[in-house]
Amino acid sequence: MKINELAKLSGISAYTLRYYEKLGLLTPAHRSESNYRIYSKDDLTTAKFIKRSKECGFSLAETASLLAIKNDKTQHVCAEAKEITKIKIVELAEQIEKLTRMQSTLQELQAFCCGGQESAEFCSIISTLEKDS
């Protein structure tokens, strides 16, 4: 299949598929005489794997590591994939904590602002953000 068909079936844009190929995450089976990329069903499976990995929050580097495990299962152990996932869970927990703090701060800023049509010269949100701490 050509890249546009792979894009349609995988739900990944052709531009992104070319980028993944450039990074070495996706390798087309071969090229046609006209130099078109020709992809196989295995490539579609890999593209969907990459998409699912991204949806889980894995970076492209982490996805590459997971692909290496997927592509050579006999040379890897399950613990490798679990460790990558464990690290991602910790990172996500840290991000959630940071976002929760940000949300709380924004709610406090919003609560103290009158939200009226008065000059922003006396806006509590702007004043708070201007402070040096």
Side-chain angles (χ1 to χ4, degrees):
M1 75 187 85
K2 291 183 182 176
I3 196 165
N4 287 332
E5 185 177 357
L6 180 63
K8 182 179 176 184
L9 293 173
S10 68
I12 301 171
S13 73
Y15 176 82
T16 301
L17 290 168
R18 285 187 203 96
Y19 180 67
Y20 291 163
E21 182 182 340
K22 183 178 177 181
L23 294 178
L25 296 175
L26 184 65
T27 307
H30 62 281
R31 287 188 177 258
S32 70
E33 289 181 18
S34 306
N35 205 31
Y36 286 107
R37 293 169 172 88
I38 304 297
Y39 295 92
S40 67
K41 288 186 180 194
D42 287 340
D43 296 321
L44 175 59
T45 299
T46 298
K48 288 180 176 181
F49 182 96
I50 294 168
K51 183 177 181 183
R52 284 190 296 273
S53 295
K54 293 295 296 167
E55 288 170 350
C56 287
F58 290 111
S59 68
L60 290 178
E62 292 161 338
T63 299
S65 296
L66 291 167
L67 275 171
I69 296 167
K70 172 195 166 291
N71 292 334
D72 198 3
K73 293 175 187 163
T74 61
Q75 296 301 309
H76 295 277
V77 294
C78 185
E80 293 173 77
K82 185 170 184 165
E83 183 63 20
I84 293 167
T85 303
K86 180 180 171 184
I87 291 168
K88 181 52 64 181
I89 290 169
V90 169
E91 289 174 3
L92 287 174
E94 291 170 355
Q95 288 177 355
I96 290 168
E97 185 178 319
K98 180 180 177 182
L99 289 171
T100 300
R101 284 192 313 266
M102 289 170 60
Q103 181 183 31
S104 176
T105 300
L106 290 171
Q107 287 170 335
E108 287 176 23
L109 287 173
Q110 181 188 25
F112 289 113
C113 181
C114 70
Q117 295 301 313
E118 297 83 10
S119 168
E121 186 176 354
F122 303 105
C123 178
S124 63
I125 294 173
I126 301 300
S127 298
T128 302
L129 295 174
E130 284 181 323
K131 290 180 182 175
D132 285 336
S133 289

PDB file of all heavy atoms in Angstrom, residues 58-97:
ATOM      1  N   PHE A  58       3.515   7.953  25.733  1.00  0.00           N
ATOM      2  CA  PHE A  58       4.930   7.630  25.546  1.00  0.00           C
ATOM      3  C   PHE A  58       5.554   8.594  24.551  1.00  0.00           C
ATOM      4  O   PHE A  58       4.933   8.960  23.548  1.00  0.00           O
ATOM      5  CB  PHE A  58       5.106   6.190  25.040  1.00  0.00           C
ATOM      6  CG  PHE A  58       4.777   5.137  26.053  1.00  0.00           C
ATOM      7  CD1 PHE A  58       3.660   4.335  25.901  1.00  0.00           C
ATOM      8  CD2 PHE A  58       5.582   4.946  27.165  1.00  0.00           C
ATOM      9  CE1 PHE A  58       3.334   3.353  26.832  1.00  0.00           C
ATOM     10  CE2 PHE A  58       5.269   3.964  28.116  1.00  0.00           C
ATOM     11  CZ  PHE A  58       4.145   3.171  27.943  1.00  0.00           C
ATOM     12  N   SER A  59       6.773   9.024  24.840  1.00  0.00           N
ATOM     13  CA  SER A  59       7.515   9.878  23.914  1.00  0.00           C
ATOM     14  C   SER A  59       7.946   9.034  22.713  1.00  0.00           C
ATOM     15  O   SER A  59       7.849   7.801  22.734  1.00  0.00           O
ATOM     16  CB  SER A  59       8.754  10.448  24.609  1.00  0.00           C
ATOM     17  OG  SER A  59       9.682   9.395  24.866  1.00  0.00           O
ATOM     18  N   LEU A  60       8.460   9.700  21.698  1.00  0.00           N
ATOM     19  CA  LEU A  60       8.952   8.953  20.534  1.00  0.00           C
ATOM     20  C   LEU A  60      10.149   8.084  20.914  1.00  0.00           C
ATOM     21  O   LEU A  60      10.285   6.965  20.402  1.00  0.00           O
ATOM     22  CB  LEU A  60       9.293   9.909  19.394  1.00  0.00           C
ATOM     23  CG  LEU A  60       8.086  10.587  18.734  1.00  0.00           C
ATOM     24  CD1 LEU A  60       8.542  11.559  17.656  1.00  0.00           C
ATOM     25  CD2 LEU A  60       7.117   9.565  18.153  1.00  0.00           C
ATOM     26  N   ALA A  61      10.979   8.556  21.825  1.00  0.00           N
ATOM     27  CA  ALA A  61      12.125   7.748  22.272  1.00  0.00           C
ATOM     28  C   ALA A  61      11.639   6.508  23.020  1.00  0.00           C
ATOM     29  O   ALA A  61      12.154   5.402  22.816  1.00  0.00           O
ATOM     30  CB  ALA A  61      13.056   8.586  23.152  1.00  0.00           C
ATOM     31  N   GLU A  62      10.654   6.700  23.882  1.00  0.00           N
ATOM     32  CA  GLU A  62      10.086   5.561  24.615  1.00  0.00           C
ATOM     33  C   GLU A  62       9.399   4.599  23.652  1.00  0.00           C
ATOM     34  O   GLU A  62       9.511   3.376  23.788  1.00  0.00           O
ATOM     35  CB  GLU A  62       9.103   6.055  25.676  1.00  0.00           C
ATOM     36  CG  GLU A  62       9.779   6.808  26.800  1.00  0.00           C
ATOM     37  CD  GLU A  62       8.831   7.688  27.597  1.00  0.00           C
ATOM     38  OE1 GLU A  62       7.751   8.065  27.092  1.00  0.00           O
ATOM     39  OE2 GLU A  62       9.201   8.026  28.745  1.00  0.00           O
ATOM     40  N   THR A  63       8.709   5.159  22.676  1.00  0.00           N
ATOM     41  CA  THR A  63       8.050   4.338  21.667  1.00  0.00           C
ATOM     42  C   THR A  63       9.084   3.531  20.891  1.00  0.00           C
ATOM     43  O   THR A  63       8.868   2.353  20.599  1.00  0.00           O
ATOM     44  CB  THR A  63       7.205   5.216  20.720  1.00  0.00           C
ATOM     45  OG1 THR A  63       6.194   5.875  21.493  1.00  0.00           O
ATOM     46  CG2 THR A  63       6.552   4.404  19.621  1.00  0.00           C
ATOM     47  N   ALA A  64      10.213   4.149  20.576  1.00  0.00           N
ATOM     48  CA  ALA A  64      11.284   3.434  19.873  1.00  0.00           C
ATOM     49  C   ALA A  64      11.778   2.259  20.710  1.00  0.00           C
ATOM     50  O   ALA A  64      12.023   1.165  20.181  1.00  0.00           O
ATOM     51  CB  ALA A  64      12.435   4.386  19.543  1.00  0.00           C
ATOM     52  N   SER A  65      11.907   2.474  22.005  1.00  0.00           N
ATOM     53  CA  SER A  65      12.336   1.385  22.895  1.00  0.00           C
ATOM     54  C   SER A  65      11.300   0.265  22.927  1.00  0.00           C
ATOM     55  O   SER A  65      11.650  -0.924  22.881  1.00  0.00           O
ATOM     56  CB  SER A  65      12.564   1.911  24.311  1.00  0.00           C
ATOM     57  OG  SER A  65      13.617   2.842  24.331  1.00  0.00           O
ATOM     58  N   LEU A  66      10.036   0.636  22.996  1.00  0.00           N
ATOM     59  CA  LEU A  66       8.970  -0.371  22.991  1.00  0.00           C
ATOM     60  C   LEU A  66       8.930  -1.118  21.652  1.00  0.00           C
ATOM     61  O   LEU A  66       8.709  -2.332  21.624  1.00  0.00           O
ATOM     62  CB  LEU A  66       7.621   0.284  23.294  1.00  0.00           C
ATOM     63  CG  LEU A  66       7.466   0.809  24.721  1.00  0.00           C
ATOM     64  CD1 LEU A  66       6.230   1.709  24.838  1.00  0.00           C
ATOM     65  CD2 LEU A  66       7.402  -0.335  25.724  1.00  0.00           C
ATOM     66  N   LEU A  67       9.162  -0.390  20.566  1.00  0.00           N
ATOM     67  CA  LEU A  67       9.208  -1.037  19.246  1.00  0.00           C
ATOM     68  C   LEU A  67      10.365  -2.022  19.155  1.00  0.00           C
ATOM     69  O   LEU A  67      10.226  -3.092  18.558  1.00  0.00           O
ATOM     70  CB  LEU A  67       9.341   0.013  18.141  1.00  0.00           C
ATOM     71  CG  LEU A  67       8.053   0.646  17.644  1.00  0.00           C
ATOM     72  CD1 LEU A  67       8.364   1.817  16.721  1.00  0.00           C
ATOM     73  CD2 LEU A  67       7.173  -0.371  16.948  1.00  0.00           C
ATOM     74  N   ALA A  68      11.503  -1.659  19.735  1.00  0.00           N
ATOM     75  CA  ALA A  68      12.653  -2.568  19.725  1.00  0.00           C
ATOM     76  C   ALA A  68      12.304  -3.865  20.444  1.00  0.00           C
ATOM     77  O   ALA A  68      12.680  -4.952  19.984  1.00  0.00           O
ATOM     78  CB  ALA A  68      13.861  -1.893  20.375  1.00  0.00           C
ATOM     79  N   ILE A  69      11.583  -3.745  21.540  1.00  0.00           N
ATOM     80  CA  ILE A  69      11.143  -4.936  22.271  1.00  0.00           C
ATOM     81  C   ILE A  69      10.156  -5.721  21.413  1.00  0.00           C
ATOM     82  O   ILE A  69      10.265  -6.939  21.267  1.00  0.00           O
ATOM     83  CB  ILE A  69      10.514  -4.543  23.625  1.00  0.00           C
ATOM     84  CG1 ILE A  69      11.566  -3.890  24.528  1.00  0.00           C
ATOM     85  CG2 ILE A  69       9.889  -5.760  24.304  1.00  0.00           C
ATOM     86  CD1 ILE A  69      11.002  -3.196  25.758  1.00  0.00           C
ATOM     87  N   LYS A  70       9.197  -5.027  20.824  1.00  0.00           N
ATOM     88  CA  LYS A  70       8.180  -5.672  19.977  1.00  0.00           C
ATOM     89  C   LYS A  70       8.811  -6.408  18.798  1.00  0.00           C
ATOM     90  O   LYS A  70       8.417  -7.516  18.461  1.00  0.00           O
ATOM     91  CB  LYS A  70       7.205  -4.618  19.452  1.00  0.00           C
ATOM     92  CG  LYS A  70       6.213  -5.105  18.411  1.00  0.00           C
ATOM     93  CD  LYS A  70       5.582  -3.906  17.712  1.00  0.00           C
ATOM     94  CE  LYS A  70       4.851  -4.264  16.459  1.00  0.00           C
ATOM     95  NZ  LYS A  70       5.680  -4.708  15.356  1.00  0.00           N
ATOM     96  N   ASN A  71       9.802  -5.775  18.195  1.00  0.00           N
ATOM     97  CA  ASN A  71      10.381  -6.327  16.969  1.00  0.00           C
ATOM     98  C   ASN A  71      11.381  -7.450  17.210  1.00  0.00           C
ATOM     99  O   ASN A  71      11.781  -8.134  16.269  1.00  0.00           O
ATOM    100  CB  ASN A  71      11.028  -5.217  16.146  1.00  0.00           C
ATOM    101  CG  ASN A  71      10.000  -4.257  15.587  1.00  0.00           C
ATOM    102  OD1 ASN A  71       8.850  -4.623  15.384  1.00  0.00           O
ATOM    103  ND2 ASN A  71      10.403  -3.023  15.352  1.00  0.00           N
ATOM    104  N   ASP A  72      11.814  -7.622  18.456  1.00  0.00           N
ATOM    105  CA  ASP A  72      12.773  -8.689  18.765  1.00  0.00           C
ATOM    106  C   ASP A  72      12.446  -9.267  20.140  1.00  0.00           C
ATOM    107  O   ASP A  72      13.263  -9.226  21.062  1.00  0.00           O
ATOM    108  CB  ASP A  72      14.196  -8.142  18.709  1.00  0.00           C
ATOM    109  CG  ASP A  72      15.243  -9.231  18.585  1.00  0.00           C
ATOM    110  OD1 ASP A  72      14.875 -10.422  18.484  1.00  0.00           O
ATOM    111  OD2 ASP A  72      16.443  -8.891  18.593  1.00  0.00           O
ATOM    112  N   LYS A  73      11.255  -9.797  20.254  1.00  0.00           N
ATOM    113  CA  LYS A  73      10.733 -10.261  21.543  1.00  0.00           C
ATOM    114  C   LYS A  73      11.608 -11.323  22.198  1.00  0.00           C
ATOM    115  O   LYS A  73      11.703 -11.369  23.427  1.00  0.00           O
ATOM    116  CB  LYS A  73       9.312 -10.796  21.360  1.00  0.00           C
ATOM    117  CG  LYS A  73       8.316  -9.730  20.995  1.00  0.00           C
ATOM    118  CD  LYS A  73       6.951 -10.328  20.698  1.00  0.00           C
ATOM    119  CE  LYS A  73       6.033  -9.251  20.170  1.00  0.00           C
ATOM    120  NZ  LYS A  73       4.876  -9.804  19.500  1.00  0.00           N
ATOM    121  N   THR A  74      12.258 -12.154  21.404  1.00  0.00           N
ATOM    122  CA  THR A  74      13.069 -13.226  21.993  1.00  0.00           C
ATOM    123  C   THR A  74      14.324 -12.696  22.668  1.00  0.00           C
ATOM    124  O   THR A  74      14.910 -13.382  23.497  1.00  0.00           O
ATOM    125  CB  THR A  74      13.464 -14.274  20.932  1.00  0.00           C
ATOM    126  OG1 THR A  74      14.239 -13.626  19.915  1.00  0.00           O
ATOM    127  CG2 THR A  74      12.231 -14.928  20.326  1.00  0.00           C
ATOM    128  N   GLN A  75      14.725 -11.483  22.331  1.00  0.00           N
ATOM    129  CA  GLN A  75      15.943 -10.906  22.905  1.00  0.00           C
ATOM    130  C   GLN A  75      15.649  -9.936  24.050  1.00  0.00           C
ATOM    131  O   GLN A  75      16.562  -9.296  24.571  1.00  0.00           O
ATOM    132  CB  GLN A  75      16.746 -10.185  21.822  1.00  0.00           C
ATOM    133  CG  GLN A  75      17.252 -11.111  20.726  1.00  0.00           C
ATOM    134  CD  GLN A  75      18.147 -12.200  21.275  1.00  0.00           C
ATOM    135  OE1 GLN A  75      19.099 -11.930  22.005  1.00  0.00           O
ATOM    136  NE2 GLN A  75      17.844 -13.455  20.937  1.00  0.00           N
ATOM    137  N   HIS A  76      14.385  -9.820  24.420  1.00  0.00           N
ATOM    138  CA  HIS A  76      13.984  -8.896  25.477  1.00  0.00           C
ATOM    139  C   HIS A  76      13.108  -9.623  26.486  1.00  0.00           C
ATOM    140  O   HIS A  76      12.586 -10.696  26.215  1.00  0.00           O
ATOM    141  CB  HIS A  76      13.218  -7.702  24.886  1.00  0.00           C
ATOM    142  CG  HIS A  76      14.057  -6.842  23.992  1.00  0.00           C
ATOM    143  ND1 HIS A  76      14.880  -5.866  24.480  1.00  0.00           N
ATOM    144  CD2 HIS A  76      14.212  -6.838  22.646  1.00  0.00           C
ATOM    145  CE1 HIS A  76      15.510  -5.278  23.468  1.00  0.00           C
ATOM    146  NE2 HIS A  76      15.121  -5.854  22.342  1.00  0.00           N
ATOM    147  N   VAL A  77      12.955  -8.985  27.639  1.00  0.00           N
ATOM    148  CA  VAL A  77      12.084  -9.544  28.675  1.00  0.00           C
ATOM    149  C   VAL A  77      10.960  -8.549  28.967  1.00  0.00           C
ATOM    150  O   VAL A  77      11.098  -7.347  28.736  1.00  0.00           O
ATOM    151  CB  VAL A  77      12.866  -9.866  29.975  1.00  0.00           C
ATOM    152  CG1 VAL A  77      13.872 -10.979  29.726  1.00  0.00           C
ATOM    153  CG2 VAL A  77      13.546  -8.633  30.540  1.00  0.00           C
ATOM    154  N   CYS A  78       9.888  -9.080  29.477  1.00  0.00           N
ATOM    155  CA  CYS A  78       8.706  -8.291  29.793  1.00  0.00           C
ATOM    156  C   CYS A  78       9.042  -7.149  30.761  1.00  0.00           C
ATOM    157  O   CYS A  78       8.464  -6.064  30.677  1.00  0.00           O
ATOM    158  CB  CYS A  78       7.651  -9.214  30.381  1.00  0.00           C
ATOM    159  SG  CYS A  78       6.072  -8.435  30.690  1.00  0.00           S
ATOM    160  N   ALA A  79       9.982  -7.383  31.643  1.00  0.00           N
ATOM    161  CA  ALA A  79      10.355  -6.377  32.646  1.00  0.00           C
ATOM    162  C   ALA A  79      10.830  -5.074  31.996  1.00  0.00           C
ATOM    163  O   ALA A  79      10.666  -3.996  32.583  1.00  0.00           O
ATOM    164  CB  ALA A  79      11.438  -6.924  33.569  1.00  0.00           C
ATOM    165  N   GLU A  80      11.399  -5.161  30.793  1.00  0.00           N
ATOM    166  CA  GLU A  80      11.861  -3.947  30.106  1.00  0.00           C
ATOM    167  C   GLU A  80      10.672  -3.052  29.750  1.00  0.00           C
ATOM    168  O   GLU A  80      10.714  -1.840  29.982  1.00  0.00           O
ATOM    169  CB  GLU A  80      12.639  -4.316  28.843  1.00  0.00           C
ATOM    170  CG  GLU A  80      13.956  -5.014  29.121  1.00  0.00           C
ATOM    171  CD  GLU A  80      14.603  -5.508  27.841  1.00  0.00           C
ATOM    172  OE1 GLU A  80      15.189  -4.672  27.116  1.00  0.00           O
ATOM    173  OE2 GLU A  80      14.516  -6.728  27.566  1.00  0.00           O
ATOM    174  N   ALA A  81       9.634  -3.645  29.187  1.00  0.00           N
ATOM    175  CA  ALA A  81       8.439  -2.876  28.837  1.00  0.00           C
ATOM    176  C   ALA A  81       7.760  -2.347  30.094  1.00  0.00           C
ATOM    177  O   ALA A  81       7.270  -1.213  30.124  1.00  0.00           O
ATOM    178  CB  ALA A  81       7.477  -3.744  28.022  1.00  0.00           C
ATOM    179  N   LYS A  82       7.753  -3.159  31.136  1.00  0.00           N
ATOM    180  CA  LYS A  82       7.128  -2.740  32.387  1.00  0.00           C
ATOM    181  C   LYS A  82       7.877  -1.551  32.990  1.00  0.00           C
ATOM    182  O   LYS A  82       7.260  -0.613  33.499  1.00  0.00           O
ATOM    183  CB  LYS A  82       7.075  -3.897  33.383  1.00  0.00           C
ATOM    184  CG  LYS A  82       6.322  -3.544  34.650  1.00  0.00           C
ATOM    185  CD  LYS A  82       6.055  -4.741  35.514  1.00  0.00           C
ATOM    186  CE  LYS A  82       5.220  -4.322  36.719  1.00  0.00           C
ATOM    187  NZ  LYS A  82       4.639  -5.450  37.404  1.00  0.00           N
ATOM    188  N   GLU A  83       9.192  -1.550  32.941  1.00  0.00           N
ATOM    189  CA  GLU A  83       9.983  -0.458  33.499  1.00  0.00           C
ATOM    190  C   GLU A  83       9.722   0.846  32.747  1.00  0.00           C
ATOM    191  O   GLU A  83       9.579   1.909  33.359  1.00  0.00           O
ATOM    192  CB  GLU A  83      11.479  -0.803  33.468  1.00  0.00           C
ATOM    193  CG  GLU A  83      12.368   0.245  34.094  1.00  0.00           C
ATOM    194  CD  GLU A  83      12.130   0.469  35.590  1.00  0.00           C
ATOM    195  OE1 GLU A  83      11.563  -0.411  36.272  1.00  0.00           O
ATOM    196  OE2 GLU A  83      12.520   1.553  36.081  1.00  0.00           O
ATOM    197  N   ILE A  84       9.645   0.770  31.424  1.00  0.00           N
ATOM    198  CA  ILE A  84       9.334   1.961  30.623  1.00  0.00           C
ATOM    199  C   ILE A  84       7.970   2.506  31.025  1.00  0.00           C
ATOM    200  O   ILE A  84       7.789   3.713  31.203  1.00  0.00           O
ATOM    201  CB  ILE A  84       9.384   1.621  29.110  1.00  0.00           C
ATOM    202  CG1 ILE A  84      10.817   1.283  28.689  1.00  0.00           C
ATOM    203  CG2 ILE A  84       8.831   2.772  28.268  1.00  0.00           C
ATOM    204  CD1 ILE A  84      10.932   0.638  27.312  1.00  0.00           C
ATOM    205  N   THR A  85       7.012   1.611  31.211  1.00  0.00           N
ATOM    206  CA  THR A  85       5.658   2.005  31.598  1.00  0.00           C
ATOM    207  C   THR A  85       5.635   2.576  33.010  1.00  0.00           C
ATOM    208  O   THR A  85       4.978   3.588  33.282  1.00  0.00           O
ATOM    209  CB  THR A  85       4.706   0.793  31.475  1.00  0.00           C
ATOM    210  OG1 THR A  85       4.769   0.307  30.130  1.00  0.00           O
ATOM    211  CG2 THR A  85       3.282   1.178  31.822  1.00  0.00           C
ATOM    212  N   LYS A  86       6.384   1.961  33.916  1.00  0.00           N
ATOM    213  CA  LYS A  86       6.449   2.428  35.302  1.00  0.00           C
ATOM    214  C   LYS A  86       6.997   3.855  35.362  1.00  0.00           C
ATOM    215  O   LYS A  86       6.449   4.710  36.066  1.00  0.00           O
ATOM    216  CB  LYS A  86       7.338   1.482  36.110  1.00  0.00           C
ATOM    217  CG  LYS A  86       7.496   1.839  37.560  1.00  0.00           C
ATOM    218  CD  LYS A  86       8.401   0.830  38.248  1.00  0.00           C
ATOM    219  CE  LYS A  86       8.762   1.252  39.643  1.00  0.00           C
ATOM    220  NZ  LYS A  86       9.714   0.324  40.274  1.00  0.00           N
ATOM    221  N   ILE A  87       8.045   4.110  34.611  1.00  0.00           N
ATOM    222  CA  ILE A  87       8.638   5.455  34.575  1.00  0.00           C
ATOM    223  C   ILE A  87       7.632   6.462  34.028  1.00  0.00           C
ATOM    224  O   ILE A  87       7.502   7.577  34.545  1.00  0.00           O
ATOM    225  CB  ILE A  87       9.948   5.448  33.756  1.00  0.00           C
ATOM    226  CG1 ILE A  87      11.032   4.657  34.506  1.00  0.00           C
ATOM    227  CG2 ILE A  87      10.414   6.866  33.447  1.00  0.00           C
ATOM    228  CD1 ILE A  87      12.262   4.341  33.680  1.00  0.00           C
ATOM    229  N   LYS A  88       6.882   6.069  32.997  1.00  0.00           N
ATOM    230  CA  LYS A  88       5.877   6.960  32.407  1.00  0.00           C
ATOM    231  C   LYS A  88       4.778   7.268  33.417  1.00  0.00           C
ATOM    232  O   LYS A  88       4.309   8.405  33.509  1.00  0.00           O
ATOM    233  CB  LYS A  88       5.293   6.337  31.139  1.00  0.00           C
ATOM    234  CG  LYS A  88       4.248   7.187  30.425  1.00  0.00           C
ATOM    235  CD  LYS A  88       4.681   8.602  30.122  1.00  0.00           C
ATOM    236  CE  LYS A  88       5.829   8.713  29.181  1.00  0.00           C
ATOM    237  NZ  LYS A  88       6.249  10.093  28.929  1.00  0.00           N
ATOM    238  N   ILE A  89       4.375   6.288  34.193  1.00  0.00           N
ATOM    239  CA  ILE A  89       3.338   6.500  35.220  1.00  0.00           C
ATOM    240  C   ILE A  89       3.813   7.525  36.242  1.00  0.00           C
ATOM    241  O   ILE A  89       3.059   8.428  36.633  1.00  0.00           O
ATOM    242  CB  ILE A  89       2.945   5.165  35.887  1.00  0.00           C
ATOM    243  CG1 ILE A  89       2.181   4.288  34.888  1.00  0.00           C
ATOM    244  CG2 ILE A  89       2.118   5.407  37.145  1.00  0.00           C
ATOM    245  CD1 ILE A  89       1.987   2.855  35.356  1.00  0.00           C
ATOM    246  N   VAL A  90       5.056   7.417  36.678  1.00  0.00           N
ATOM    247  CA  VAL A  90       5.611   8.383  37.641  1.00  0.00           C
ATOM    248  C   VAL A  90       5.640   9.777  37.019  1.00  0.00           C
ATOM    249  O   VAL A  90       5.240  10.763  37.665  1.00  0.00           O
ATOM    250  CB  VAL A  90       7.025   7.947  38.096  1.00  0.00           C
ATOM    251  CG1 VAL A  90       7.715   9.050  38.878  1.00  0.00           C
ATOM    252  CG2 VAL A  90       6.946   6.669  38.912  1.00  0.00           C
ATOM    253  N   GLU A  91       6.080   9.884  35.767  1.00  0.00           N
ATOM    254  CA  GLU A  91       6.116  11.178  35.089  1.00  0.00           C
ATOM    255  C   GLU A  91       4.721  11.776  34.980  1.00  0.00           C
ATOM    256  O   GLU A  91       4.533  12.978  35.201  1.00  0.00           O
ATOM    257  CB  GLU A  91       6.725  11.034  33.691  1.00  0.00           C
ATOM    258  CG  GLU A  91       8.211  10.767  33.687  1.00  0.00           C
ATOM    259  CD  GLU A  91       8.751  10.491  32.288  1.00  0.00           C
ATOM    260  OE1 GLU A  91       7.977  10.560  31.294  1.00  0.00           O
ATOM    261  OE2 GLU A  91       9.953  10.196  32.177  1.00  0.00           O
ATOM    262  N   LEU A  92       3.751  10.959  34.631  1.00  0.00           N
ATOM    263  CA  LEU A  92       2.371  11.447  34.519  1.00  0.00           C
ATOM    264  C   LEU A  92       1.832  11.909  35.867  1.00  0.00           C
ATOM    265  O   LEU A  92       1.145  12.932  35.946  1.00  0.00           O
ATOM    266  CB  LEU A  92       1.468  10.371  33.915  1.00  0.00           C
ATOM    267  CG  LEU A  92       1.649  10.105  32.422  1.00  0.00           C
ATOM    268  CD1 LEU A  92       0.807   8.915  31.992  1.00  0.00           C
ATOM    269  CD2 LEU A  92       1.312  11.334  31.603  1.00  0.00           C
ATOM    270  N   ALA A  93       2.144  11.177  36.925  1.00  0.00           N
ATOM    271  CA  ALA A  93       1.698  11.578  38.265  1.00  0.00           C
ATOM    272  C   ALA A  93       2.282  12.942  38.624  1.00  0.00           C
ATOM    273  O   ALA A  93       1.581  13.792  39.195  1.00  0.00           O
ATOM    274  CB  ALA A  93       2.097  10.522  39.294  1.00  0.00           C
ATOM    275  N   GLU A  94       3.542  13.166  38.285  1.00  0.00           N
ATOM    276  CA  GLU A  94       4.178  14.460  38.543  1.00  0.00           C
ATOM    277  C   GLU A  94       3.510  15.563  37.729  1.00  0.00           C
ATOM    278  O   GLU A  94       3.284  16.670  38.234  1.00  0.00           O
ATOM    279  CB  GLU A  94       5.672  14.394  38.230  1.00  0.00           C
ATOM    280  CG  GLU A  94       6.460  13.533  39.203  1.00  0.00           C
ATOM    281  CD  GLU A  94       7.890  13.259  38.757  1.00  0.00           C
ATOM    282  OE1 GLU A  94       8.282  13.661  37.633  1.00  0.00           O
ATOM    283  OE2 GLU A  94       8.623  12.632  39.541  1.00  0.00           O
ATOM    284  N   GLN A  95       3.193  15.270  36.471  1.00  0.00           N
ATOM    285  CA  GLN A  95       2.513  16.258  35.627  1.00  0.00           C
ATOM    286  C   GLN A  95       1.121  16.577  36.163  1.00  0.00           C
ATOM    287  O   GLN A  95       0.708  17.737  36.176  1.00  0.00           O
ATOM    288  CB  GLN A  95       2.410  15.752  34.185  1.00  0.00           C
ATOM    289  CG  GLN A  95       3.723  15.737  33.440  1.00  0.00           C
ATOM    290  CD  GLN A  95       3.577  15.146  32.040  1.00  0.00           C
ATOM    291  OE1 GLN A  95       2.518  14.669  31.658  1.00  0.00           O
ATOM    292  NE2 GLN A  95       4.656  15.188  31.274  1.00  0.00           N
ATOM    293  N   ILE A  96       0.410  15.553  36.595  1.00  0.00           N
ATOM    294  CA  ILE A  96      -0.931  15.756  37.151  1.00  0.00           C
ATOM    295  C   ILE A  96      -0.856  16.628  38.398  1.00  0.00           C
ATOM    296  O   ILE A  96      -1.659  17.548  38.579  1.00  0.00           O
ATOM    297  CB  ILE A  96      -1.621  14.404  37.445  1.00  0.00           C
ATOM    298  CG1 ILE A  96      -1.972  13.705  36.128  1.00  0.00           C
ATOM    299  CG2 ILE A  96      -2.850  14.584  38.327  1.00  0.00           C
ATOM    300  CD1 ILE A  96      -2.384  12.251  36.281  1.00  0.00           C
ATOM    301  N   GLU A  97       0.132  16.359  39.249  1.00  0.00           N
ATOM    302  CA  GLU A  97       0.302  17.158  40.464  1.00  0.00           C
ATOM    303  C   GLU A  97       0.589  18.617  40.107  1.00  0.00           C
ATOM    304  O   GLU A  97       0.014  19.538  40.687  1.00  0.00           O
ATOM    305  CB  GLU A  97       1.452  16.584  41.305  1.00  0.00           C
ATOM    306  CG  GLU A  97       1.627  17.256  42.644  1.00  0.00           C
ATOM    307  CD  GLU A  97       2.747  16.627  43.462  1.00  0.00           C
ATOM    308  OE1 GLU A  97       2.856  15.384  43.463  1.00  0.00           O
ATOM    309  OE2 GLU A  97       3.500  17.392  44.087  1.00  0.00           O
TER     310      GLU A  97
END
